[in-house]
Amino acid sequence: MANQLIPCDTLLTASVLVSQNDTRDILREAALAITDSRITDLGPSADLTARYQPATRLDLGDALVLPGLINTHTHAAMTLFRGLCDDAPLASWLTDHIWPAEAKLTPEAVRLGTLLACAEMLASGTTCFCDAYFFSGTVAEAADASGMRAVIGQGVFDSADLKFKTSDQALDAARELADKVSGQPRLRPALFAHAVYTCTTRTLERCVELSRERDLLLATHAVETARENDDCHKAHGLRVIPYLERLGFLGPRTLLAHGVALDTADITTLAAHGTAVSHCPKSNMKLGSGIAPVPALRTAGVTVSLGTDGAASNNALNLFSEMNVAALLHKVAAGDPTAQGAQATLDMATRDGADALGWPELGRLTIGGPADLCALDLTRPALTSGYSPVSDAVYAASGGEVVLTMVAGQVLYRNGQYTTLDYPKLRQEFREAARRLTGR
Amino acid sequence: MANQLIPCDTLLTASVLVSQNDTRDILREAALAITDSRITDLGPSADLTARYQPATRLDLGDALVLPGLINTHTHAAMTLFRGLCDDAPLASWLTDHIWPAEAKLTPEAVRLGTLLACAEMLASGTTCFCDAYFFSGTVAEAADASGMRAVIGQGVFDSADLKFKTSDQALDAARELADKVSGQPRLRPALFAHAVYTCTTRTLERCVELSRERDLLLATHAVETARENDDCHKAHGLRVIPYLERLGFLGPRTLLAHGVALDTADITTLAAHGTAVSHCPKSNMKLGSGIAPVPALRTAGVTVSLGTDGAASNNALNLFSEMNVAALLHKVAAGDPTAQGAQATLDMATRDGADALGWPELGRLTIGGPADLCALDLTRPALTSGYSPVSDAVYAASGGEVVLTMVAGQVLYRNGQYTTLDYPKLRQEFREAARRLTGR
């Protein structure tokens, strides 16, 4: 009967699999068959084990398999500045610490900072991230080298203070980036207009045009604080969301990072345009910015995803911690333990993240879909009760329980080891680069 | 020259040591000499290595040594109910899920639940916990078996609904507990009067008397929600804090768990009596209870420590996560990133926790003090920048970086292994006990 077995690259088995499919099926004693980068079969372990002849078997035992988590807003290379300055007012943090250090950035430092971020994200179950930073071509190369999936944003802004690309040059760089990553199945290009307060109206309009022309995700920092609305009203006679709407900036390929200071009309506008919000609760809390109206956004039908923001304002790139804080924050903000549940929060970090990035085959484990996943060791004390795998993932896990992370069918991280990164060497080079930038 | 070397049990070296002493000294390339349960010397690694002849060397390399963290409010055995019911209104959570399961508790289930909690706490750097639950004698035995340090609270309440000890029986049990743990250097007994709404005035007064008579820490749940003040006013004509003050309940050996709904007068009262508050931010958020006025309490001079509460309302017993959330929560609540800093937060989890428990030699690493400590692996991606060890511990660590936990000079946890617990056997027995209690 051996000749009737179906070949596959990998057969992965685990005690629990949370599929995050449309009906949120949870399988016990489950298996996944994987060939090339995709899931070719998914079902009971006993069935698949009898039917498949895998080149590689990954028997994870008592483990919880989840879709790989999706970080929809970060500045990966800011790992270089993690902990450089905390507990300071925003203005001093930026002008006295972050901007002077960023002025010294080199492509090599950004490469190392991005790779270190990839190492951290892989170790905590993240398989895909949406980045916005300087030297986008270098970021794309680093993400590619790590094996992760990524949406690489080319930053655009008009600030004359910084010694970086003009908005003209940045738009050209975005075109180059789009050409560069074209045909790379794990990477996609994006345009990241920094914010309404750093981009002119004309620059924002040109971002909209280029986004349409090349079908690029169009992202921006929006209403991270209430002050942005006040300043926008002074400058343009409108709050941020109506101003962006007037410019044609809002639409189903638009992603707004933060979305803290949104009123009811803003929420209705975002829902009408199919514009998504990348919620960054830990960064918003750490900088004292405020609390995004996530339950109201979700009720209105707005897609809300999760982002860590950069490591200088979080200070972790760990979506398990971010899920945990997101759920707790909206419960206490509403004074209602039902305001933000575990399932809704896991959705934000997986399938809603995929939808927010316009990459909806990600964020769920389904036959035919990409084999992007992570696995938690269920033998750890915090995950031992096992009544609800989704609750355990959101409320009990720290991220330190991740024992395997796979992207596009390739194991990138397993039991503390990386398959694509020479981590000890990376760490050494990262530390030297960070020291050169900060003098510390 | 070998005969001039000083013998010691253990010489521990690490790249960074955060002492949490009075001047908050941070040592680089540091060493600790330990004999019996205490630190006999502390200083530069090169000096101590040249002077000591240890029976055991613990060279931790690139690691951050901190005082062991102190969890000042938990119900350890509630690990049995972690994830049993989440995202539900408080009343349904208690009456439909937790209380029915608790009514089936046995000493053996409490033993297993407590030991599992100890395993979780040790794996995330906690060396001492203050417990309040049923079967306090069993809890004391489990804590002792784990090697941890613990303050064991005997619960006292008058609720007729539950099939447990009357308050008379509970006060007798507290006396027995005090006798039982007398002379055990790692354990101390405490009285835990459940709350003003479950104890009669007379029971609370008798708790005060017994606390004085036996010099016991006197703890209670206090103003976890605003409703407690309303109900107390209806029943006794006073808010909770003035009512407790009138009963003589407040004083320097008193510890109040939660302290959410405190007004300015309450804070002044607590400061005047030297009464401490165990802040449980994640539990308060998860149940939608509110935000304790921690910066105001600290400004008034009230000792504020950190507690996880039980695993059914958190759902982790991980003080690194608790520190992280505490700092972020008070920044966003104040709209001010300076409202709660990393150092103040680490203090709450270490030295202020020790002070809150009336055990002030804990929570700092000093010559002559107890050798209770944990160590984080600084080679992990999230801890690689290294600009500020305190910031990294509070904002970047998840708890999963803990590689060693020591209590009273004994290594209890190292690299995923326990020295006092047969963890695979414990886990199996725990799961069977949990299934019997909950039917799931």
Side-chain angles (χ1 to χ4, degrees):
Chain A
M1 303 290 280
N3 59 353
Q4 293 183 314
L5 291 175
I6 307 164
C8 67
D9 289 350
T10 305
L11 189 70
L12 182 153
T13 59
S15 59
V16 190
L17 184 147
V18 172
S19 69
Q20 290 293 93
N21 66 4
D22 292 349
T23 44
R24 305 298 190 279
D25 293 332
I26 296 176
L27 285 72
R28 305 280 171 167
E29 300 306 331
L32 283 168
I34 298 163
T35 288
D36 295 330
S37 64
R38 293 194 175 261
I39 298 168
T40 54
D41 205 349
L42 188 165
S45 179
D47 292 0
L48 270 68
T49 304
R51 281 194 285 129
Y52 284 89
Q53 182 160 40
T56 304
R57 276 194 69 131
L58 286 173
D59 289 320
L60 302 183
D62 204 358
L64 169 58
V65 173
L66 295 166
L69 306 184
I70 299 176
N71 185 346
T72 58
H73 182 62
T74 191
H75 313 288
M78 291 189 83
T79 50
L80 293 160
F81 309 128
R82 182 192 338 250
L84 180 64
C85 171
D86 295 303
D87 307 329
L90 183 61
S92 162
W93 178 73
L94 273 175
T95 57
D96 299 337
H97 299 275
I98 299 299
W99 287 346
E102 284 188 336
K104 296 188 202 164
L105 277 172
T106 61
E108 177 61 6
V110 167
R111 184 182 77 84
L112 294 165
T114 304
L115 284 171
L116 199 285
C118 291
E120 181 179 0
M121 289 190 275
L122 287 172
S124 51
T126 296
T127 53
C128 178
F129 66 104
C130 181
D131 195 70
Y133 211 52
F134 306 105
F135 306 115
S136 62
T138 302
V139 175
E141 287 163 18
D144 189 31
S146 77
M148 288 186 76
R149 213 177 279 276
V151 176
I152 309 295
Q154 166 64 47
V156 181
F157 55 93
D158 292 291
S159 169
D161 282 355
L162 295 173
K163 306 287 187 295
F164 292 105
K165 288 189 201 301
T166 64
S167 56
D168 278 346
Q169 291 167 333
L171 288 162
D172 285 343
R175 286 185 189 92
E176 282 168 33
L177 176 72
D179 293 337
K180 180 183 179 117
V181 307
S182 159
Q184 212 303 8
R186 285 188 286 98
L187 300 184
R188 292 194 180 177
L191 257 181
F192 201 98
H194 179 269
V196 297
Y197 56 88
T198 48
C199 294
T200 64
T201 299
R202 183 68 198 119
T203 294
L204 293 170
E205 287 170 343
R206 291 172 69 204
C207 287
V208 172
E209 288 158 16
L210 182 58
S211 156
R212 286 182 187 157
E213 180 192 319
R214 300 293 297 257
D215 194 23
L216 302 178
L217 181 81
L218 178 63
T220 189
H221 294 114
V223 284
E224 184 170 356
T225 65
R227 186 180 156 174
E228 277 182 43
N229 277 323
D230 299 341
D231 290 349
C232 191
H233 199 276
K234 273 180 213 149
H236 307 289
L238 290 169
R239 290 166 57 88
V240 171
I241 298 301
Y243 172 61
L244 289 173
E245 185 183 32
R246 193 178 68 187
L247 302 183
F249 199 97
L250 304 181
R253 63 157 75 73
T254 304
L255 176 61
L256 305 182
H258 301 297
V260 169
L262 297 168
D263 67 13
T264 307
D266 294 336
I267 293 171
T268 304
T269 302
L270 296 181
H273 288 280
T275 294
V277 172
S278 178
H279 177 41
C280 302
K282 292 182 65 179
S283 173
N284 298 157
M285 294 170 82
K286 182 152 180 280
L287 299 174
S289 304
I291 300 174
V294 169
L297 282 163
R298 290 178 52 87
T299 300
V302 176
T303 298
V304 181
S305 58
L306 275 181
T308 58
D309 208 350
S313 60
N314 186 312
N315 298 353
L317 306 179
N318 176 342
L319 282 173
F320 283 96
S321 170
E322 207 75 38
M323 284 197 288
N324 187 217
V325 170
L328 299 182
L329 178 62
H330 298 295
K331 289 170 189 287
V332 78
D336 176 359
T338 71
Q340 175 79 25
Q343 183 64 61
T345 307
L346 182 62
D347 287 357
M348 285 163 55
T350 55
R351 38 189 296 140
D352 297 347
D355 294 352
L357 297 181
W359 206 336
E361 66 176 358
L362 305 179
R364 48 276 263 176
L365 299 175
T366 55
I367 295 173
D372 291 13
L373 56 86
C374 66
L376 301 175
D377 178 2
L378 290 178
T379 72
R380 303 289 174 92
L383 304 181
T384 290
S385 66
Y387 303 121
S388 164
V390 172
S391 164
D392 287 347
V394 172
Y395 297 123
S398 71
E401 305 84 356
V402 171
V403 286
L404 180 136
T405 307
M406 172 186 282
V407 177
Q410 303 302 310
V411 174
L412 302 184
Y413 175 83
R414 190 167 187 194
N415 296 328
Q417 304 297 315
Y418 299 92
T419 61
T420 50
L421 306 173
D422 179 348
Y423 181 69
K425 178 164 174 275
L426 165 63
R427 182 170 166 267
Q428 181 64 30
E429 292 176 352
F430 170 91
R431 291 183 69 141
E432 287 161 11
R435 214 164 288 136
R436 276 194 296 276
L437 290 173
T438 63
R440 282 170 54 185
Chain B
M1 302 290 280
N3 59 354
Q4 292 183 315
L5 292 175
I6 306 165
C8 68
D9 289 349
T10 304
L11 190 69
L12 181 153
T13 59
S15 59
V16 190
L17 185 147
V18 171
S19 70
Q20 289 293 92
N21 67 4
D22 291 349
T23 45
R24 303 298 190 280
D25 292 333
I26 295 176
L27 286 73
R28 305 279 172 168
E29 300 305 331
L32 284 168
I34 298 163
T35 288
D36 295 331
S37 65
R38 293 193 176 262
I39 298 167
T40 54
D41 204 350
L42 187 166
S45 178
D47 292 2
L48 270 69
T49 303
R51 281 194 285 126
Y52 284 89
Q53 182 160 41
T56 303
R57 277 194 68 132
L58 287 173
D59 290 320
L60 302 183
D62 204 358
L64 169 59
V65 173
L66 295 166
L69 305 184
I70 299 176
N71 185 347
T72 58
H73 182 62
T74 191
H75 314 289
M78 290 188 83
T79 49
L80 293 160
F81 309 128
R82 183 198 330 254
L84 180 63
C85 172
D86 294 302
D87 308 329
L90 183 62
S92 162
W93 178 73
L94 273 175
T95 57
D96 299 336
H97 298 275
I98 299 300
W99 287 346
E102 284 187 336
K104 296 188 202 164
L105 277 171
T106 61
E108 177 62 4
V110 167
R111 183 183 78 82
L112 294 166
T114 304
L115 284 171
L116 200 284
C118 291
E120 182 179 0
M121 289 191 275
L122 288 170
S124 52
T126 295
T127 53
C128 178
F129 66 103
C130 180
D131 196 71
Y133 211 53
F134 305 104
F135 305 116
S136 62
T138 302
V139 175
E141 287 163 18
D144 189 32
S146 77
M148 289 186 75
R149 214 176 278 278
V151 176
I152 310 294
Q154 167 64 48
V156 181
F157 56 92
D158 292 291
S159 169
D161 282 354
L162 296 173
K163 306 287 188 292
F164 292 105
K165 288 188 201 301
T166 65
S167 57
D168 278 347
Q169 291 167 332
L171 288 161
D172 286 342
R175 287 186 187 89
E176 282 168 32
L177 176 73
D179 293 338
K180 179 182 179 116
V181 307
S182 159
Q184 212 302 9
R186 285 187 286 100
L187 300 183
R188 292 196 180 175
L191 256 181
F192 202 97
H194 178 267
V196 298
Y197 56 87
T198 48
C199 294
T200 65
T201 300
R202 183 67 199 120
T203 294
L204 292 171
E205 287 170 342
R206 292 172 68 204
C207 287
V208 173
E209 288 158 16
L210 182 58
S211 156
R212 287 184 185 155
E213 182 191 316
R214 300 293 298 257
D215 193 23
L216 302 179
L217 180 80
L218 179 61
T220 190
H221 294 114
V223 284
E224 184 171 354
T225 64
R227 184 179 158 176
E228 278 182 41
N229 277 322
D230 299 340
D231 291 349
C232 190
H233 199 275
K234 272 180 214 149
H236 307 289
L238 289 169
R239 289 165 57 88
V240 171
I241 298 302
Y243 172 61
L244 289 173
E245 185 183 33
R246 192 179 68 188
L247 301 183
F249 200 95
L250 304 181
R253 62 157 77 72
T254 304
L255 177 60
L256 304 182
H258 300 299
V260 169
L262 297 168
D263 68 13
T264 308
D266 294 336
I267 293 171
T268 304
T269 302
L270 297 182
H273 287 281
T275 294
V277 171
S278 179
H279 177 41
C280 303
K282 291 182 65 178
S283 172
N284 298 157
M285 293 170 83
K286 183 152 180 279
L287 299 175
S289 304
I291 301 174
V294 169
L297 283 162
R298 289 177 53 86
T299 300
V302 176
T303 298
V304 181
S305 58
L306 274 182
T308 57
D309 208 349
S313 61
N314 186 311
N315 299 351
L317 307 179
N318 176 342
L319 283 172
F320 283 97
S321 169
E322 207 76 37
M323 285 198 286
N324 187 217
V325 170
L328 299 182
L329 178 63
H330 298 296
K331 290 170 188 287
V332 77
D336 176 0
T338 72
Q340 175 79 27
Q343 183 65 60
T345 307
L346 183 62
D347 286 359
M348 284 163 54
T350 56
R351 37 189 298 143
D352 297 346
D355 295 352
L357 296 181
W359 208 334
E361 65 177 358
L362 304 179
R364 46 279 259 177
L365 298 175
T366 55
I367 294 172
D372 292 12
L373 57 85
C374 66
L376 302 175
D377 178 2
L378 290 179
T379 72
R380 304 287 175 94
L383 304 180
T384 291
S385 66
Y387 303 122
S388 164
V390 172
S391 164
D392 286 347
V394 172
Y395 297 123
S398 71
E401 306 83 357
V402 171
V403 286
L404 180 136
T405 306
M406 173 186 281
V407 177
Q410 303 303 309
V411 174
L412 302 183
Y413 176 83
R414 191 169 187 193
N415 296 329
Q417 302 298 315
Y418 299 91
T419 61
T420 50
L421 306 174
D422 179 348
Y423 180 69
K425 177 164 175 275
L426 165 62
R427 181 171 165 268
Q428 181 64 29
E429 292 176 352
F430 169 91
R431 290 183 69 141
E432 287 162 10
R435 214 164 289 135
R436 275 195 296 277
L437 289 173
T438 63
R440 283 170 53 183

